[in-house]
């Protein structure tokens, strides 16, 4: 009985501003290191003065990101499931949720390694790049895919730490991995003169070392806890729940990626200048969104914990506090980008015509951060609570509305129409989830 009480030790808790910030700030810093890696890799390859190598790096990175995006559920889905188990004090389920995610990550990663030649060829066909660019791109993709199992396992490790509310530990692992990535890329790419292959191998080495470090921390923690029976870890009920949650998150991620690809494609139809300007502005938008993702991570953990603990006041307060902080910061970030966007654009491109075009549409990009903040927070709430079906359905509805708006408004108003369609997409995602939430809350916290 004593052991059972230890394994299921759910306590009431109150969500505070400090709890929100303790998760949001470390994760925001961790997410912000992602664009930094791209800048370092570009700088390393750029030292060789070969445009084909830079083109191969850029297109290879896009293909690699597209391949990995559907597996974001290994981070967010694991966060939600572990947080719920943490909320109800179910230590065995915390461990089991991680090992299920680990199994999916390892299996999917190995499959990517086996399919790497096909992925590389498909990516080269899709990008339709010149032969020198395609050759550099092929080297980058095939090398990077060697680390696919490590990349996906790192997603699951980070998801577990976030689910437990250990954001600072997650930040340390991310900084450790990204710091090694930068060091390896510089040494292998420049000092050993491996070029684009050195940049790719630098990332592979850092991902593998990060897995070893993360698993060492986890195994050390798990040794202090009771063993989880295999029949519990691989329970068909639990696996079905995980697959449903992860499948819905995957569909959501694919729709989101599809929306950004369509936006870029329609921009390309308006000419190379518009395409280049929109690409610069999307980098600005994503940089602001990365920072706000820290509050989304806080919402996933605190909401999941509240649902697991069957604590409606904690749930409501987690939603209010994370949304309030994110909204306030999004407003500040948007104003800052609006005021300093010209300097940011000048730092990103030296082409005068691209700079002028980007400045013209800067307000759309700056205030897209505000338009998207509700979608980001509501999406995190629904993932933390494991209400994935509603998240999937509202995303598909929003995507259909976006496609209709993109083609109609784009035809009528050109690039202004494309950006307005993106705002429609972001706003509709957030508002639709907000409208669905009261019904889901009543169901989830009904008397048991």
């Amino acid at each position: 009985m004593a052991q059972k009480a230890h394994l299921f030790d759910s306590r009431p808790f109150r969500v505070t501003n400090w709890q929100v910030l303790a998760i949001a700030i470390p994760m925001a810093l961790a997410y912000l290191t992602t664009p930094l890696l791209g800048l370092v890799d570009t700088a390393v390859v750029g030292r060789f003065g070969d445009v084909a190598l830079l083109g191969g790096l850029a297109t290879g990175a896009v293909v690699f990101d597209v391949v990995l995006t559907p597996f974001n559920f290994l981070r967010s889905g694991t966060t939600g499931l572990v947080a719920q188990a943490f909320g109800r004090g179910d230590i065995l389920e915390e461990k089991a949720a991680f090992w299920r995610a680990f199994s999916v990550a390892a299996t999917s990663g190995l499959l990517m390694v086996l399919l790497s030649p096909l992925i590389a060829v498909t990516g080269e066909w899709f990008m339709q790049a010149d032969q020198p660019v395609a050759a550099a791109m092929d080297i980058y993709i095939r090398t990077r895919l060697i680390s696919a199992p490590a990349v996906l396992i790192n997603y699951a490790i980070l998801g577990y730490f976030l689910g437990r509310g250990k954001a600072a530990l997650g930040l340390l692992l991310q900084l450790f991995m990204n710091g090694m990535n930068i060091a390896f890329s510089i040494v292998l790419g420049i000092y050993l003169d491996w070029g684009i292959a050195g940049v790719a191998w630098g990332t592979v080495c850092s991902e593998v070392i990060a897995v070893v470090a993360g698993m060492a921390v986890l195994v050390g923690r798990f040794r202090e806890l009771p063993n989880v029976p295999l029949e519990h870890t691989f329970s068909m009920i639990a696996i079905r729940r995980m697959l449903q949650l992860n499948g819905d998150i995957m569909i959501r991620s694919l729709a989101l990626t599809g929306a950004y690809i369509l936006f870029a494609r329609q921009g390309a139809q308006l000419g190379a200048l518009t395409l280049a300007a929109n690409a610069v502005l999307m980098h600005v938008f994503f940089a602001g969104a990365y920072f706000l993702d820290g509050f989304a991570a806080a919402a996933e953990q605190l909401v999941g914990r509240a649902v697991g603990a069957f604590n409606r006041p904690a749930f409501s307060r987690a939603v209010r506090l994370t949304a309030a902080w994110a909204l306030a910061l999004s407003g500040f970030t948007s104003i800052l980008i609006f005021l300093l966007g010209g300097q940011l654009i000048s730092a990103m491109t030296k082409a005068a015509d691209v700079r002028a075009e980007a400045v013209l549409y800067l307000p759309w990009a700056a205030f897209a951060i505000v338009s998207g903040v509700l979608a980001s927070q509501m999406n995190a709430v629904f993932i933390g609570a494991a209400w994935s079906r509603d998240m999937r359905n509202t995303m598909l509805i929003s995507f259909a509305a976006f496609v209709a708006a993109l083609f109609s408004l784009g035809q009528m108003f050109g690039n202004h129409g494309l950006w307005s369609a993106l705002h429609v997409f972001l706003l509709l995602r957030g508002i639709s989830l907000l409208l669905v939430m009261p019904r889901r809350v009543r169901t989830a916290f009904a008397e048991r």
Side-chain angles (χ1 to χ4, degrees), residues 74-91 93-101 156-165 221-222 241 245 300-301 304-305 308 383-384:
L74 287 168
R75 204 282 300 160
S76 55
T78 303
T79 297
L81 294 175
V82 171
Q84 289 191 24
F86 178 47
R88 62 178 178 269
D90 189 346
I91 294 175
E93 181 56 25
E94 286 180 34
K95 291 179 63 176
F98 169 76
W99 287 121
R100 291 184 205 113
I157 292 172
L158 181 58
Y160 175 83
F161 286 135
L162 285 179
R164 288 282 305 171
R221 169 177 167 74
F222 287 169
R241 185 187 182 212
L245 174 64
E300 288 174 11
Q301 199 278 335
R305 183 180 173 189
I383 289 176

Short mmCIF file of all heavy atoms in Angstrom, two decimals, residues 74-91 93-101 156-165 221-222 241 245 300-301 304-305 308 383-384:
data_model
loop_
_atom_site.label_atom_id
_atom_site.label_comp_id
_atom_site.label_asym_id
_atom_site.label_seq_id
_atom_site.Cartn_x
_atom_site.Cartn_y
_atom_site.Cartn_z
N LEU A 74 6.63 13.76 -31.39
CA LEU A 74 7.47 13.06 -30.42
C LEU A 74 7.90 13.98 -29.29
O LEU A 74 8.20 13.52 -28.19
CB LEU A 74 8.69 12.47 -31.12
CG LEU A 74 8.41 11.26 -32.01
CD1 LEU A 74 9.62 10.94 -32.88
CD2 LEU A 74 8.03 10.05 -31.16
N ARG A 75 7.90 15.29 -29.55
CA ARG A 75 8.18 16.26 -28.49
C ARG A 75 6.89 16.68 -27.80
O ARG A 75 6.72 16.48 -26.60
CB ARG A 75 8.90 17.47 -29.08
CG ARG A 75 9.73 18.26 -28.07
CD ARG A 75 8.90 19.17 -27.20
NE ARG A 75 8.16 20.16 -27.94
CZ ARG A 75 7.10 20.80 -27.47
NH1 ARG A 75 6.63 20.54 -26.27
NH2 ARG A 75 6.47 21.68 -28.21
N SER A 76 5.96 17.24 -28.57
CA SER A 76 4.75 17.80 -27.96
C SER A 76 3.83 16.72 -27.41
O SER A 76 3.27 16.87 -26.31
CB SER A 76 4.01 18.67 -28.98
OG SER A 76 3.74 17.95 -30.16
N GLY A 77 3.65 15.62 -28.14
CA GLY A 77 2.79 14.55 -27.64
C GLY A 77 3.33 13.93 -26.37
O GLY A 77 2.57 13.64 -25.43
N THR A 78 4.63 13.73 -26.31
CA THR A 78 5.25 13.17 -25.10
C THR A 78 5.10 14.14 -23.93
O THR A 78 4.84 13.72 -22.79
CB THR A 78 6.74 12.87 -25.35
OG1 THR A 78 6.86 12.00 -26.47
CG2 THR A 78 7.38 12.21 -24.13
N THR A 79 5.25 15.43 -24.20
CA THR A 79 5.06 16.43 -23.14
C THR A 79 3.67 16.32 -22.53
O THR A 79 3.51 16.28 -21.30
CB THR A 79 5.25 17.86 -23.70
OG1 THR A 79 6.59 18.01 -24.16
CG2 THR A 79 4.98 18.90 -22.62
N GLY A 80 2.64 16.26 -23.37
CA GLY A 80 1.27 16.18 -22.88
C GLY A 80 0.99 14.93 -22.07
O GLY A 80 0.41 14.99 -20.98
N LEU A 81 1.42 13.77 -22.58
CA LEU A 81 1.15 12.51 -21.89
C LEU A 81 1.91 12.40 -20.58
O LEU A 81 1.38 11.93 -19.56
CB LEU A 81 1.48 11.33 -22.82
CG LEU A 81 0.60 11.22 -24.07
CD1 LEU A 81 1.10 10.10 -24.97
CD2 LEU A 81 -0.87 10.96 -23.69
N VAL A 82 3.18 12.82 -20.58
CA VAL A 82 3.97 12.77 -19.35
C VAL A 82 3.42 13.76 -18.32
O VAL A 82 3.33 13.46 -17.12
CB VAL A 82 5.46 13.05 -19.64
CG1 VAL A 82 6.25 13.23 -18.34
CG2 VAL A 82 6.07 11.92 -20.46
N ALA A 83 3.01 14.95 -18.78
CA ALA A 83 2.46 15.95 -17.86
C ALA A 83 1.18 15.46 -17.20
O ALA A 83 0.96 15.68 -16.00
CB ALA A 83 2.19 17.25 -18.61
N GLN A 84 0.34 14.77 -17.96
CA GLN A 84 -0.89 14.24 -17.37
C GLN A 84 -0.59 13.17 -16.33
O GLN A 84 -1.20 13.14 -15.25
CB GLN A 84 -1.81 13.68 -18.45
CG GLN A 84 -2.43 14.75 -19.32
CD GLN A 84 -3.54 14.21 -20.22
OE1 GLN A 84 -4.15 13.19 -19.92
NE2 GLN A 84 -3.81 14.91 -21.31
N ALA A 85 0.36 12.29 -16.65
CA ALA A 85 0.75 11.26 -15.67
C ALA A 85 1.37 11.90 -14.44
O ALA A 85 1.10 11.49 -13.30
CB ALA A 85 1.73 10.28 -16.31
N PHE A 86 2.16 12.94 -14.64
CA PHE A 86 2.75 13.68 -13.52
C PHE A 86 1.66 14.33 -12.66
O PHE A 86 1.73 14.31 -11.43
CB PHE A 86 3.69 14.75 -14.10
CG PHE A 86 4.34 15.63 -13.07
CD1 PHE A 86 4.92 15.11 -11.92
CD2 PHE A 86 4.38 17.01 -13.26
CE1 PHE A 86 5.53 15.94 -10.98
CE2 PHE A 86 4.98 17.85 -12.32
CZ PHE A 86 5.55 17.30 -11.18
N GLY A 87 0.64 14.86 -13.30
CA GLY A 87 -0.44 15.50 -12.57
C GLY A 87 -1.20 14.56 -11.66
O GLY A 87 -1.63 14.96 -10.57
N ARG A 88 -1.38 13.33 -12.10
CA ARG A 88 -2.10 12.38 -11.24
C ARG A 88 -1.15 11.51 -10.41
O ARG A 88 -1.59 10.59 -9.72
CB ARG A 88 -3.02 11.50 -12.09
CG ARG A 88 -2.37 10.65 -13.13
CD ARG A 88 -3.40 9.78 -13.86
NE ARG A 88 -2.77 8.99 -14.90
CZ ARG A 88 -2.64 9.37 -16.17
NH1 ARG A 88 -3.11 10.55 -16.56
NH2 ARG A 88 -2.03 8.60 -17.05
N GLY A 89 0.14 11.82 -10.46
CA GLY A 89 1.11 11.12 -9.63
C GLY A 89 1.41 9.71 -10.07
O GLY A 89 1.86 8.89 -9.27
N ASP A 90 1.21 9.41 -11.35
CA ASP A 90 1.41 8.06 -11.88
C ASP A 90 2.83 7.94 -12.44
O ASP A 90 3.06 8.15 -13.63
CB ASP A 90 0.37 7.78 -12.95
CG ASP A 90 0.35 6.32 -13.39
OD1 ASP A 90 1.31 5.60 -13.06
OD2 ASP A 90 -0.62 5.91 -14.05
N ILE A 91 3.78 7.59 -11.58
CA ILE A 91 5.18 7.54 -11.98
C ILE A 91 5.43 6.46 -13.02
O ILE A 91 6.23 6.64 -13.95
CB ILE A 91 6.07 7.31 -10.73
CG1 ILE A 91 5.98 8.53 -9.80
CG2 ILE A 91 7.53 7.09 -11.14
CD1 ILE A 91 6.72 8.35 -8.50
N GLU A 93 3.43 5.42 -15.34
CA GLU A 93 2.97 5.88 -16.65
C GLU A 93 3.89 6.94 -17.23
O GLU A 93 4.06 7.03 -18.45
CB GLU A 93 1.54 6.40 -16.55
CG GLU A 93 0.95 6.89 -17.87
CD GLU A 93 0.96 5.84 -18.98
OE1 GLU A 93 0.97 4.63 -18.66
OE2 GLU A 93 0.97 6.24 -20.15
N GLU A 94 4.51 7.76 -16.38
CA GLU A 94 5.49 8.72 -16.88
C GLU A 94 6.61 7.99 -17.62
O GLU A 94 7.00 8.36 -18.74
CB GLU A 94 6.11 9.51 -15.72
CG GLU A 94 5.22 10.55 -15.09
CD GLU A 94 5.94 11.27 -13.96
OE1 GLU A 94 7.17 11.44 -14.06
OE2 GLU A 94 5.29 11.64 -12.98
N LYS A 95 7.15 6.97 -16.97
CA LYS A 95 8.23 6.19 -17.60
C LYS A 95 7.74 5.48 -18.85
O LYS A 95 8.41 5.49 -19.89
CB LYS A 95 8.78 5.15 -16.61
CG LYS A 95 9.55 5.73 -15.45
CD LYS A 95 10.04 4.63 -14.51
CE LYS A 95 11.00 3.67 -15.17
NZ LYS A 95 11.53 2.66 -14.22
N ALA A 96 6.56 4.87 -18.75
CA ALA A 96 6.03 4.12 -19.89
C ALA A 96 5.79 5.03 -21.08
O ALA A 96 6.07 4.65 -22.24
CB ALA A 96 4.73 3.42 -19.48
N ALA A 97 5.27 6.24 -20.83
CA ALA A 97 5.01 7.17 -21.94
C ALA A 97 6.31 7.52 -22.66
O ALA A 97 6.35 7.64 -23.90
CB ALA A 97 4.34 8.44 -21.41
N PHE A 98 7.39 7.68 -21.89
CA PHE A 98 8.67 7.98 -22.54
C PHE A 98 9.15 6.80 -23.38
O PHE A 98 9.58 6.97 -24.53
CB PHE A 98 9.75 8.34 -21.53
CG PHE A 98 11.13 8.38 -22.14
CD1 PHE A 98 11.50 9.45 -22.93
CD2 PHE A 98 12.01 7.31 -21.99
CE1 PHE A 98 12.74 9.49 -23.55
CE2 PHE A 98 13.25 7.34 -22.61
CZ PHE A 98 13.63 8.43 -23.39
N TRP A 99 9.09 5.58 -22.81
CA TRP A 99 9.62 4.43 -23.55
C TRP A 99 8.80 4.14 -24.80
O TRP A 99 9.35 3.68 -25.81
CB TRP A 99 9.67 3.20 -22.64
CG TRP A 99 10.77 3.28 -21.63
CD1 TRP A 99 10.65 3.24 -20.28
CD2 TRP A 99 12.18 3.40 -21.90
NE1 TRP A 99 11.88 3.36 -19.68
CE2 TRP A 99 12.84 3.45 -20.65
CE3 TRP A 99 12.94 3.50 -23.06
CZ2 TRP A 99 14.22 3.57 -20.54
CZ3 TRP A 99 14.33 3.62 -22.96
CH2 TRP A 99 14.95 3.65 -21.71
N ARG A 100 7.50 4.44 -24.79
CA ARG A 100 6.71 4.29 -26.01
C ARG A 100 7.20 5.28 -27.07
O ARG A 100 7.38 4.92 -28.24
CB ARG A 100 5.22 4.53 -25.72
CG ARG A 100 4.57 3.47 -24.87
CD ARG A 100 3.08 3.72 -24.69
NE ARG A 100 2.62 3.08 -23.47
CZ ARG A 100 2.19 3.70 -22.38
NH1 ARG A 100 2.10 5.02 -22.38
NH2 ARG A 100 1.82 3.02 -21.31
N ALA A 101 7.40 6.53 -26.65
CA ALA A 101 7.89 7.54 -27.59
C ALA A 101 9.28 7.19 -28.09
O ALA A 101 9.60 7.36 -29.28
CB ALA A 101 7.91 8.91 -26.91
N ALA A 156 11.93 13.08 -28.07
CA ALA A 156 11.24 12.37 -26.98
C ALA A 156 11.84 12.73 -25.63
O ALA A 156 11.11 12.90 -24.63
CB ALA A 156 11.31 10.86 -27.21
N ILE A 157 13.16 12.85 -25.56
CA ILE A 157 13.82 13.22 -24.31
C ILE A 157 13.38 14.61 -23.86
O ILE A 157 13.03 14.83 -22.70
CB ILE A 157 15.36 13.17 -24.47
CG1 ILE A 157 15.83 11.72 -24.66
CG2 ILE A 157 16.05 13.79 -23.25
CD1 ILE A 157 17.29 11.59 -25.02
N LEU A 158 13.40 15.57 -24.79
CA LEU A 158 12.97 16.92 -24.45
C LEU A 158 11.50 16.92 -24.02
O LEU A 158 11.12 17.62 -23.08
CB LEU A 158 13.17 17.85 -25.64
CG LEU A 158 12.79 19.32 -25.44
CD1 LEU A 158 13.58 19.93 -24.27
CD2 LEU A 158 13.01 20.13 -26.71
N GLY A 159 10.67 16.13 -24.71
CA GLY A 159 9.26 16.04 -24.35
C GLY A 159 9.06 15.52 -22.93
O GLY A 159 8.20 16.02 -22.19
N TYR A 160 9.87 14.55 -22.53
CA TYR A 160 9.76 14.01 -21.17
C TYR A 160 10.14 15.08 -20.14
O TYR A 160 9.43 15.28 -19.15
CB TYR A 160 10.66 12.79 -21.00
CG TYR A 160 10.69 12.28 -19.57
CD1 TYR A 160 9.69 11.43 -19.11
CD2 TYR A 160 11.68 12.69 -18.68
CE1 TYR A 160 9.69 10.98 -17.80
CE2 TYR A 160 11.68 12.26 -17.37
CZ TYR A 160 10.70 11.40 -16.94
OH TYR A 160 10.69 10.98 -15.62
N PHE A 161 11.25 15.76 -20.37
CA PHE A 161 11.69 16.78 -19.40
C PHE A 161 10.66 17.91 -19.29
O PHE A 161 10.38 18.40 -18.20
CB PHE A 161 13.05 17.33 -19.79
CG PHE A 161 14.19 16.38 -19.53
CD1 PHE A 161 15.18 16.19 -20.48
CD2 PHE A 161 14.26 15.69 -18.34
CE1 PHE A 161 16.23 15.30 -20.24
CE2 PHE A 161 15.32 14.80 -18.09
CZ PHE A 161 16.29 14.61 -19.04
N LEU A 162 10.09 18.32 -20.43
CA LEU A 162 9.07 19.36 -20.39
C LEU A 162 7.81 18.87 -19.67
O LEU A 162 7.18 19.62 -18.92
CB LEU A 162 8.72 19.82 -21.80
CG LEU A 162 9.74 20.71 -22.50
CD1 LEU A 162 9.27 21.05 -23.91
CD2 LEU A 162 9.98 21.98 -21.71
N GLY A 163 7.45 17.63 -19.91
CA GLY A 163 6.28 17.07 -19.23
C GLY A 163 6.44 17.06 -17.73
O GLY A 163 5.46 17.22 -16.99
N ARG A 164 7.65 16.89 -17.28
CA ARG A 164 7.94 16.93 -15.84
C ARG A 164 8.16 18.36 -15.34
O ARG A 164 8.38 18.57 -14.14
CB ARG A 164 9.21 16.11 -15.56
CG ARG A 164 9.03 14.61 -15.69
CD ARG A 164 8.36 14.03 -14.47
NE ARG A 164 9.09 14.37 -13.25
CZ ARG A 164 8.66 14.16 -12.02
NH1 ARG A 164 7.46 13.62 -11.84
NH2 ARG A 164 9.38 14.50 -10.97
N GLY A 165 8.12 19.33 -16.24
CA GLY A 165 8.34 20.71 -15.83
C GLY A 165 9.80 21.07 -15.65
O GLY A 165 10.13 22.10 -15.04
N ARG A 221 17.78 8.75 -13.49
CA ARG A 221 16.53 9.01 -12.78
C ARG A 221 15.67 7.76 -12.70
O ARG A 221 15.09 7.45 -11.65
CB ARG A 221 15.75 10.14 -13.48
CG ARG A 221 14.34 10.28 -12.95
CD ARG A 221 13.57 11.42 -13.59
NE ARG A 221 12.15 11.33 -13.28
CZ ARG A 221 11.60 11.60 -12.11
NH1 ARG A 221 12.36 12.00 -11.11
NH2 ARG A 221 10.29 11.49 -11.93
N PHE A 222 15.58 7.03 -13.80
CA PHE A 222 14.70 5.86 -13.84
C PHE A 222 15.16 4.75 -12.90
O PHE A 222 14.36 3.95 -12.42
CB PHE A 222 14.61 5.32 -15.27
CG PHE A 222 13.78 6.19 -16.19
CD1 PHE A 222 13.79 5.97 -17.56
CD2 PHE A 222 13.00 7.23 -15.71
CE1 PHE A 222 13.03 6.76 -18.41
CE2 PHE A 222 12.24 8.03 -16.54
CZ PHE A 222 12.26 7.78 -17.91
N ARG A 241 -4.00 5.15 -27.71
CA ARG A 241 -4.15 6.55 -27.31
C ARG A 241 -2.98 7.39 -27.82
O ARG A 241 -3.16 8.50 -28.32
CB ARG A 241 -4.24 6.65 -25.78
CG ARG A 241 -4.51 8.07 -25.29
CD ARG A 241 -4.42 8.15 -23.79
NE ARG A 241 -4.73 9.49 -23.32
CZ ARG A 241 -4.20 10.07 -22.26
NH1 ARG A 241 -3.31 9.42 -21.53
NH2 ARG A 241 -4.56 11.28 -21.90
N LEU A 245 -3.21 10.44 -30.61
CA LEU A 245 -2.69 11.78 -30.31
C LEU A 245 -1.61 12.16 -31.30
O LEU A 245 -1.63 13.26 -31.88
CB LEU A 245 -2.15 11.81 -28.88
CG LEU A 245 -1.45 13.10 -28.44
CD1 LEU A 245 -2.42 14.27 -28.45
CD2 LEU A 245 -0.83 12.93 -27.05
N GLU A 300 1.48 23.59 -22.51
CA GLU A 300 1.39 22.14 -22.65
C GLU A 300 1.61 21.44 -21.32
O GLU A 300 0.85 20.54 -20.94
CB GLU A 300 2.42 21.64 -23.67
CG GLU A 300 2.10 21.98 -25.11
CD GLU A 300 3.23 21.59 -26.05
OE1 GLU A 300 4.14 20.85 -25.59
OE2 GLU A 300 3.20 21.99 -27.22
N GLN A 301 2.66 21.84 -20.61
CA GLN A 301 2.99 21.16 -19.36
C GLN A 301 1.95 21.43 -18.27
O GLN A 301 1.45 20.51 -17.63
CB GLN A 301 4.37 21.59 -18.88
CG GLN A 301 5.01 20.64 -17.87
CD GLN A 301 4.53 20.86 -16.43
OE1 GLN A 301 4.11 21.95 -16.07
NE2 GLN A 301 4.61 19.82 -15.60
N GLY A 304 -1.55 19.98 -19.17
CA GLY A 304 -1.52 18.52 -19.05
C GLY A 304 -1.50 18.07 -17.60
O GLY A 304 -2.21 17.14 -17.21
N ARG A 305 -0.71 18.75 -16.80
CA ARG A 305 -0.65 18.41 -15.37
C ARG A 305 -1.99 18.64 -14.69
O ARG A 305 -2.43 17.82 -13.88
CB ARG A 305 0.43 19.25 -14.71
CG ARG A 305 0.65 18.92 -13.24
CD ARG A 305 1.75 19.81 -12.65
NE ARG A 305 1.86 19.61 -11.20
CZ ARG A 305 2.60 20.37 -10.40
NH1 ARG A 305 3.30 21.37 -10.91
NH2 ARG A 305 2.64 20.13 -9.11
N GLY A 308 -4.42 15.91 -15.75
CA GLY A 308 -4.08 14.67 -15.07
C GLY A 308 -4.49 14.67 -13.61
O GLY A 308 -4.92 13.65 -13.07
N ILE A 383 -3.03 20.15 -27.00
CA ILE A 383 -2.05 19.06 -26.96
C ILE A 383 -1.82 18.61 -25.53
O ILE A 383 -1.80 17.41 -25.23
CB ILE A 383 -0.72 19.52 -27.60
CG1 ILE A 383 -0.87 19.65 -29.11
CG2 ILE A 383 0.40 18.52 -27.29
CD1 ILE A 383 0.35 20.19 -29.82
N GLY A 384 -1.66 19.55 -24.60
CA GLY A 384 -1.45 19.19 -23.20
C GLY A 384 -2.62 18.41 -22.63
O GLY A 384 -2.43 17.47 -21.85
#
